Amino acid sequence: MKTKILILIVISVFLLIVVSACASTPTQAPTSAATSASTSGTTGALDGATIMQAACTGCHGLSAIYNTQTDEAGWTTIVDNMIQRGAKLTPEEKTVLIQYLAANY
């Protein structure tokens, strides 16, 4: 009986370790969309689509963007709000992203 309990405890601990390892987050996330873009092979000038993919999809899908149609002032307000909520953008990335969004959505 004690052996069965011991085996059950060992299996439970093992499963707990496996589940916690699968659920862990990376220890270091990119600090900005440009960092993320540079690790994916993009070089040169900042690209609005790449910035959008890197900075926005960490919290929501792109349908939130596709379904929003507004002008540059509206996108500025939205992007500022997302930065306050934790989106990581440099001032240059923010400018490129807003211009891209205003031109395309």
Side-chain angles (χ1 to χ4, degrees):
M1 185 68 159
K2 289 183 180 183
T3 304
K4 288 182 180 181
I5 293 173
L6 183 60
I7 291 172
L8 184 60
I9 291 172
V10 169
I11 291 172
S12 297
V13 170
F14 176 75
L15 289 174
L16 181 63
I17 291 170
V18 169
V19 169
S20 65
C22 291
S24 68
T25 58
T27 57
Q28 184 177 0
T31 56
S32 71
T35 302
S36 179
S38 68
T39 60
S40 66
T42 303
T43 59
L46 294 175
D47 174 45
T50 302
I51 296 169
M52 178 182 73
Q53 183 71 30
C56 303
T57 60
C59 296
H60 56 78
L62 293 178
S63 64
I65 295 167
Y66 299 153
N67 295 327
T68 303
Q69 294 184 354
T70 188
D71 59 5
E72 189 169 335
W75 282 117
T76 300
T77 300
I78 292 168
V79 170
D80 285 341
N81 185 293
M82 295 299 111
I83 290 170
Q84 289 177 350
R85 293 172 180 242
K88 304 290 187 205
L89 292 169
T90 66
E92 295 82 15
E93 291 169 339
K94 176 184 167 184
T95 300
V96 171
L97 178 61
I98 290 169
Q99 291 171 351
Y100 172 79
L101 293 170
N104 293 285
Y105 302 102

